Amino acid sequence: MASYNTSNIKNGLKVLINGDPHEIIENSFHKPGKGQAFSKIKLKNLLNGRVNEKTLKIGDSLDSADVEISEMQYLYNDEVSYFFMNIESFDQIPIKKEILGEDKIWIKGEEICSITFFNNNPISIELPLFVELMIKNTEPGLKGDTTSKATKPAILETDAKIQVPLFINQDDIIRIDTRSKEYVSRVKI
């Protein structure tokens, strides 16, 4: 197993801390006027999403985590799992609903997602940055009101609820940013 010492630690590296995979999200080097230099790193636990800080003395090392990220296409789901297909090998794998969590309302089928595996087990899913979904239910749109910042509630085809501009109608297809969970634009057909 490879390891990283304090001189080659950088943002984005996947390391093992207490047996759990973590991603380094921030790394800063400190050299006080007196005493030994050290690195302060901010880590995100890939299993539960918690962010921690750790201080390393010069010369300390961290083991690399056996983490693999694969691009996979969402196919369908049942009561227990969501099924994804590896777009290179066409292998299908089930992923428990708990791993997808609340993000399940942003996918309907055929989206390409990044799935993170730790010891060959899926631990997290990163949705595409934007998804296109159809409005299932909303109040009728107001013609000509394209500059107003006013919004109204809408229910999407996946039963997600978001705020959309007043000019959006039922059966319109809209683009949504999956990071902010907000309306971005109307899709021209």
Side-chain angles (χ1 to χ4, degrees):
M1 179 178 290
S3 65
Y4 305 107
N5 65 23
T6 50
S7 64
N8 58 11
I9 286 178
K10 58 186 176 197
N11 295 351
L13 287 179
K14 312 293 193 279
V15 296
L16 277 179
I17 307 279
N18 299 328
D20 288 346
H22 288 73
E23 179 178 2
I24 297 174
I25 54 177
E26 195 175 302
N27 177 30
S28 59
F29 178 78
H30 299 278
K31 180 152 180 39
K34 221 176 195 184
Q36 187 178 10
F38 61 93
S39 287
K40 198 172 234 182
I41 57 174
K42 195 178 277 192
L43 302 154
K44 179 182 178 187
N45 187 318
L46 295 175
L47 296 178
N48 59 28
R50 291 191 185 119
V51 176
N52 301 319
E53 285 190 2
K54 186 171 181 67
T55 302
L56 300 172
K57 293 184 221 161
I58 297 304
D60 286 352
S61 63
L62 297 171
D63 291 331
S64 67
D66 182 20
V67 173
E68 181 184 328
I69 298 174
S70 294
E71 297 290 314
M72 302 190 88
Q73 183 178 29
Y74 169 60
L75 299 174
Y76 64 95
N77 65 297
D78 61 19
E79 294 82 32
V80 180
S81 301
Y82 280 76
F83 293 85
F84 288 82
M85 177 182 68
N86 186 312
I87 56 179
E88 293 173 5
S89 67
F90 303 111
D91 293 336
Q92 292 183 22
I93 62 157
I95 296 179
K96 292 186 177 3
K97 284 186 175 186
E98 296 80 40
I99 293 173
L100 199 53
E102 295 296 316
D103 287 340
K104 66 185 175 215
I105 61 174
W106 302 111
I107 57 175
K108 65 176 181 176
E110 299 185 12
E111 291 89 358
I112 304 293
C113 301
S114 295
I115 300 179
T116 303
F117 293 87
F118 176 61
N119 293 335
N120 295 322
N121 295 317
I123 58 171
S124 70
I125 296 176
E126 187 176 318
L127 298 177
L129 296 179
F130 299 98
V131 292
E132 294 177 358
L133 297 171
M134 187 175 71
I135 302 285
K136 183 166 82 172
N137 188 8
T138 191
E139 297 171 13
L142 295 175
K143 285 190 188 257
D145 194 357
T146 57
T147 59
S148 171
K149 295 286 183 196
T151 61
K152 62 183 179 179
I155 299 173
L156 304 174
E157 62 185 298
T158 59
D159 291 330
K161 295 176 179 79
I162 66 166
Q163 294 291 318
V164 295
L166 296 177
F167 61 87
I168 298 294
N169 291 308
Q170 189 167 318
D171 297 330
D172 282 353
I173 297 174
I174 62 171
R175 183 178 311 253
I176 298 142
D177 185 330
T178 57
R179 297 164 294 184
S180 65
K181 316 296 192 243
E182 294 177 352
Y183 166 88
V184 174
S185 66
R186 181 167 44 181
V187 176
K188 306 244 191 289
I189 300 174

